[in-house]
Amino acid sequence: EVQLLESGGGLVQPGGSLRLPCAASGFTLNSFGMGWVRQAPGKGLEWVSAIGDNSGSTYLADSVKGRFTVSRDNSRNTLYMEMNSLRADDTAVYYCARSSGWWAFDIWGQGTMVIVSS
Amino acid sequence: QSALTQPASVSGFPGQSITISCTGTSSDVGAYNYVSWYQQHPAKAPKLMIYGVTNRPSGVSNRFSGSKSGNTASLTISGLQAEDEADYYCSSFTRGSTVVFGGGTKLTVL
């Protein structure tokens, strides 16, 4: 079964850092582009980042540029998002998702909650 | 990058058809055929319903269809069913090599 499983969420103070892993199963991660999408409590979806398939090109939303990075470990079949200088408005459920091509996300994880608060 | 514009809510009776619009600009919706639509039920992950403006993933009902004219994309759901009640989001690739989502539309089946 094709699945994505995020982890690493939790409570972090403003200015702090977190790394979110997303473990893929049922498919080979480096054959697909991948992305991260977040959803603040009671709000809509916001695209955060993406990484190309074998090319490894990365793309970031302006709201996180310079603070977040996206990477993958093909040997572990795992996607990562490193989040630094976290702010209160980064509080959200973070979903990792597989790109089917067409810049569309066809497989989603269950999400992991990140709360930035003192 | 500003969010794509969607109506906050739409409603319809079972069996009816509804259309949700998604308005962008010549830098996103109007520039590429990379418009997608997602369905999200409460406390669930989004589900891809339409990609590439008009394409349905395997397993998605043919009651769902997509189209585009200029800078506006649309999702039409025909033969409304109670299970269609959910939030719907459009998204588009942009000239800035980013992805932008719409603000979301709450569909109520009356």
Side-chain angles (χ1 to χ4, degrees):
Chain A
E1 184 185 2
V2 173
Q3 276 190 329
L4 294 169
L5 183 63
E6 306 96 335
S7 59
L11 175 64
V12 60
Q13 291 192 335
S17 299
L18 272 181
R19 187 178 76 156
L20 303 183
C22 170
S25 57
F27 70 99
T28 302
L29 195 69
N30 66 0
S31 296
F32 293 86
M34 299 291 297
W36 290 91
V37 176
R38 68 185 180 184
Q39 187 168 33
K43 302 297 185 182
L45 301 176
E46 180 189 10
W47 175 81
V48 177
S49 66
I51 185 167
D53 47 20
N54 270 324
S55 70
S57 299
T58 60
Y59 310 85
L60 293 168
D62 287 345
S63 59
V64 305
K65 206 168 284 184
R67 300 187 300 124
F68 291 12
T69 58
V70 59
S71 63
R72 70 168 94 220
D73 183 337
N74 293 332
S75 67
R76 295 178 182 272
N77 219 35
T78 299
L79 177 74
Y80 297 97
M81 188 157 69
E82 188 81 34
M83 305 187 296
N84 299 311
S85 303
L86 283 161
R87 312 184 304 220
D89 61 0
D90 294 318
T91 294
V93 173
Y94 285 75
Y95 296 100
C96 72
R98 187 182 80 172
S99 176
S100 63
W102 299 86
W103 287 89
F105 298 110
D106 64 340
I107 303 296
W108 294 67
Q110 87 290 346
T112 187
M113 184 74 202
V114 172
I115 300 172
V116 184
S117 175
S118 55
Chain B
Q1 180 68 52
S2 299
L4 306 176
T5 300
Q6 298 181 230
S9 63
V10 298
S11 62
F13 289 96
Q16 287 186 331
S17 294
I18 63 95
T19 297
I20 299 172
S21 61
C22 170
T23 300
T25 69
S26 57
S27 294
D28 39 62
V29 175
Y32 305 98
N33 286 327
Y34 290 152
V35 175
S36 304
W37 289 91
Y38 300 87
Q39 176 192 66
Q40 187 180 34
H41 287 109
K44 297 292 188 182
K47 175 185 177 183
L48 180 65
M49 305 303 284
I50 296 287
Y51 67 94
V53 179
T54 61
N55 302 290
R56 272 189 315 275
S58 174
V60 172
S61 170
N62 60 8
R63 297 185 299 105
F64 291 82
S65 62
S67 63
K68 190 184 87 166
S69 177
N71 297 336
T72 298
S74 299
L75 173 72
T76 297
I77 308 174
S78 59
L80 266 182
Q81 299 179 359
E83 69 222 43
D84 299 333
E85 185 162 293
D87 293 326
Y88 291 84
Y89 295 90
C90 61
S91 75
S92 175
F93 183 64
T94 80
R95 289 193 190 277
S97 295
T98 63
V99 174
V100 61
F101 279 93
T105 298
K106 181 176 180 60
L107 170 61
T108 300
V109 180
L110 301 168

